[in-house]
């Protein structure tokens, strides 16, 4: 059986909800929906997305991987008017990697300050 490795980022909700920031099974790494922490949580959608992608990058690093291995992202925004701001942060974080990506608007996230949540999926060779 392939070894499973759970990665924690120490986020408040990980213990409350009982989940891992990321899970690596073999060459597959799944990064949970990630939101910004304070003080970035009080920023605009761009600032939040930059913070989120930084947390994702750290989780991937802890899993023995990097942003280059990301094959798919799913982004949730609370206001589609923020799409360009979030897209800019995504483009800056991934550059030429160009993962498959989806962005959808949701009515709310866990904290009313949260404007963006991002999931990532990576395959490490």
């Amino acid at each position: 059986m392939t070894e499973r490795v759970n990665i924690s980022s120490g986020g408040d909700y990980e213990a409350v909800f009982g989940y891992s920031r990321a899970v690596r099974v073999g060459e597959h790494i799944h990064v949970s929906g990630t939101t910004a922490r304070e003080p970035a949580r009080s920023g605009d959608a761009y600032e939040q997305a930059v913070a989120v992608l930084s947390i994702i990058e750290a989780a991937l690093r802890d899993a023995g991987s990097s942003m280059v291995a990301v094959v798919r992202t799913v982004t949730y925004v609370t206001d589609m008017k923020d799409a360009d701001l979030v897209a800019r942060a995504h483009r800056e974080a991934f550059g030429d990697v160009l993962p498959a990506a989806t962005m959808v608007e949701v009515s709310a996230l866990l904290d009313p300050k949260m404007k963006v949540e991002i999931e990532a999926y990576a395959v490490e060779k």
Side-chain angles (χ1 to χ4, degrees):
M1 185 169 150
T2 304
E3 179 184 4
R4 174 191 177 108
V5 179
N6 292 343
I7 293 102
S8 172
S9 66
D12 295 340
Y13 294 112
E14 289 175 35
V16 172
F17 282 28
Y19 72 95
S20 298
R21 170 66 42 223
V23 176
R24 181 176 185 145
V25 179
E27 60 188 28
H28 297 273
I29 304 160
H30 301 261
V31 182
S32 294
T34 304
T35 58
R37 298 180 184 148
E38 290 296 355
R41 186 176 290 172
S42 295
D44 69 15
Y46 173 77
E47 293 167 324
Q48 288 192 25
V50 167
V52 166
L53 291 160
S54 176
I55 294 167
I56 289 171
E57 184 173 27
L60 289 166
R61 190 173 43 251
D62 290 347
S65 189
S66 70
M67 298 292 261
V68 173
V70 173
V71 296
R72 178 169 173 69
T73 61
V74 180
T75 302
Y76 305 94
V77 294
T78 57
D79 188 339
M80 200 53 82
K81 291 177 186 168
D82 290 331
D84 288 342
L85 294 172
V86 176
R88 184 173 105 210
H90 189 278
R91 187 173 55 254
E92 291 170 358
F94 289 105
D96 293 334
V97 175
L98 303 175
T102 301
M103 182 184 295
V104 296
E105 183 179 86
V106 296
S107 62
L109 294 170
L110 192 59
D111 179 326
K113 291 183 195 175
M114 295 174 181
K115 298 175 183 289
V116 60
E117 181 169 335
I118 302 174
E119 301 172 5
Y121 304 91
V123 178
E124 187 66 44
K125 294 182 180 182

